[in-house]
């Protein structure tokens, strides 16, 4: 969460050129992490030999597609879309992973990380650097 927090703070408090850079990096980091969240399904499917889930494999590419689409939007909307996608991804993963015997800490940790990242992205959506880019 440290990169999310640092970039959100930077988007709010750095001087304008650096604030825009911090905001851009926040969006790109959010997109990369969203893609990573989808990729986890590949690892899970590889570990579960004989229990391949077509739904999980299809879902695994959705976060990446959303991330690419979000980066095409205005900065404030991109941040909100990435935040929402991280939260939805966590909810989907909670349902998909419920039947499996994962480490007891995995889903709660994913929830905290997803919520924290979403909060940083939402804060970034309202940063003057994001809103100034719209003018």
């Amino acid at each position: 969460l440290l990169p999310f927090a640092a970039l959100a703070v930077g988007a709010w408090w750095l001087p304008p050129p650096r604030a825009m850079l911090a905001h851009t990096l926040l969006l790109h980091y959010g997109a990369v992490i969203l893609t990573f969240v989808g990729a986890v399904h590949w690892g899970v499917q590889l570990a579960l030999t004989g229990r391949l889930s077509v739904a999980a494999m299809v879902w695994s590419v959705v976060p990446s597609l959303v991330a690419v689409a979000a980066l095409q939007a205005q900065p404030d909307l991109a941040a909100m879309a990435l935040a929402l996608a991280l939260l939805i991804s966590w909810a989907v993963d909670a349902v998909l992973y419920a039947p499996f015997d994962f480490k007891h800490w995995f889903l709660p940790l994913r929830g905290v990380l997803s919520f924290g990242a979403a909060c940083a992205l939402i804060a970034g959506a309202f940063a003057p650097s994001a809103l100034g880019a719209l003018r």
Side-chain angles (χ1 to χ4, degrees):
L1 289 178
L2 290 177
F4 278 109
L7 292 168
V9 167
W12 272 92
W13 296 107
L14 288 173
R18 287 192 172 94
M20 287 293 294
L21 176 60
H23 191 271
T24 300
L25 292 172
L26 175 65
L27 295 179
H28 286 99
Y29 188 66
V32 167
I33 294 302
L34 184 58
T35 297
F36 173 79
V37 164
V40 169
H41 289 275
W42 280 85
V44 169
Q45 291 302 304
L46 288 171
L48 299 173
T49 55
R51 295 176 69 182
L52 181 66
S53 165
V54 174
M57 296 309 291
V58 169
W59 170 253
S60 72
V61 299
V62 171
S64 295
L65 296 173
V66 170
V68 169
L71 290 178
Q72 305 311 306
Q74 296 173 356
D76 58 337
L77 297 177
M80 296 299 280
L82 291 168
L84 181 60
L86 281 168
L87 295 175
I88 290 172
S89 292
W90 174 80
V92 169
D93 289 357
V95 171
L96 286 177
Y97 294 153
F100 301 108
D101 185 28
F102 288 131
K103 302 289 184 193
H104 69 279
W105 51 263
F106 177 70
L107 285 174
L109 179 62
R110 266 292 309 284
V112 168
L113 294 175
S114 297
F115 182 75
C119 287
L121 285 160
I122 292 167
F126 293 101
S129 58
L131 300 174
L134 301 177
R135 295 185 188 114

